[in-house]
Amino acid sequence: MANVNQQLEVPSIPSLGFAPEAYEKRYFAENNSALNNYFRKLISTLGALFGPRGGRFMNNPHGAFQDSTNQVAANTTTAYAITFNTTDFSNGVTIASSSRITVADSGIWNLQFSIQLKNTTNDGQDVDIWFRKNGSDIANSGSRFGLAPRKSAGDPSHMIGALNYFVDLEQNDYLQLMWRPSDVGVSIEHFAAGTSPTRPAVPSVIATVSFVSNLSA
């Protein structure tokens, strides 16, 4: 819902009449008054926008997404796309085909992720996570996260894989988060809300996307 206290009124362009053939004081007075009123409103609007805390009036494209399911790998030789089933915020950024983070505007974008990883094996394991753009791997975008061996049978080890990444995108381009574990005993896990004490659920994946800048020439 829009916050009316954080919206700037855009001044309407004044409607100026055609000048008469002969000098007419009333015509110039009316036009000067309309222009004076227009520029006062324009200066007030620009002053609010570029003054202290003016950023609150900006409406930058952004998106926030999460997933509430467990995600598993059937083998260690396949690249798997990380999926999302919940949209928290969407302003020019949407999810398509469960995994494609799609942008409506060209520019430099910042994608941040937080992934809840689980290891049920007796050995330390690795998980590779990287980015794809329009179906192709982005060079040098990979990260490797190491998980400790499970603590005991029925008590796996856990860690959060997190990163932020800047990428240039054109209108309607999409990004995907890809992953591959070193053992199928590693998965991406969600946790239901807890009790004693009451605490919120843990999504398996959280991703936020923010517009940073237009593309350089």
Side-chain angles (χ1 to χ4, degrees):
M1 180 179 295
N3 184 344
V4 295
N5 295 321
Q6 291 182 245
Q7 295 181 350
L8 291 174
E9 179 184 355
V10 179
S12 301
I13 298 175
S15 178
L16 305 178
F18 292 101
E21 294 184 5
Y23 172 78
E24 187 174 313
K25 182 177 181 180
R26 186 181 67 177
Y27 164 79
F28 284 100
E30 289 176 351
N31 277 3
N32 285 343
S33 176
L35 288 171
N36 186 48
N37 185 52
Y38 171 74
F39 284 114
R40 278 205 314 269
K41 290 182 178 179
L42 182 61
I43 291 171
S44 176
T45 298
L46 292 175
L49 181 61
F50 294 110
R53 299 182 301 281
R56 71 187 187 278
F57 299 113
M58 303 297 290
N59 186 21
N60 291 327
H62 59 270
F65 313 97
Q66 59 178 278
D67 190 65
S68 60
T69 66
N70 297 332
Q71 301 187 36
V72 299
N75 60 67
T76 63
T77 58
T78 300
Y80 294 93
I82 292 172
T83 58
F84 303 88
N85 65 5
T86 301
T87 295
D88 296 316
F89 299 98
S90 177
N91 180 22
V93 188
T94 55
I95 293 290
S97 302
S98 300
S99 68
R100 298 180 176 183
I101 301 171
T102 307
V103 302
D105 300 287
S106 300
I108 305 297
W109 292 82
N110 181 22
L111 190 151
Q112 297 178 287
F113 66 77
S114 172
I115 301 173
Q116 181 68 63
L117 300 169
K118 177 178 76 171
N119 179 20
T120 61
T121 75
N122 290 319
D123 302 307
Q125 302 294 345
D126 294 324
V127 176
D128 292 328
I129 299 174
W130 67 98
F131 294 86
R132 278 186 179 172
K133 174 180 172 180
N134 299 330
S136 298
D137 293 340
I138 298 178
N140 303 312
S141 68
S143 296
R144 178 164 293 178
F145 299 94
L147 288 92
R150 70 181 186 182
K151 295 183 280 294
S152 63
D155 190 8
S157 65
H158 301 94
M159 73 159 293
I160 288 287
L163 187 74
N164 74 287
Y165 189 77
F166 277 29
V167 61
D168 62 302
L169 298 171
E170 298 288 348
Q171 184 181 32
N172 297 322
D173 280 353
Y174 68 87
L175 286 175
Q176 289 174 292
L177 285 171
M178 308 300 298
W179 76 294
R180 171 264 179 193
S182 59
D183 190 281
V184 295
V186 174
S187 61
I188 300 173
E189 186 179 32
H190 88 289
F191 294 92
T195 57
S196 301
T198 300
R199 53 197 187 276
V202 178
S204 55
V205 185
I206 297 172
T208 60
V209 189
S210 305
F211 183 82
V212 176
S213 171
N214 63 351
L215 293 170
S216 57

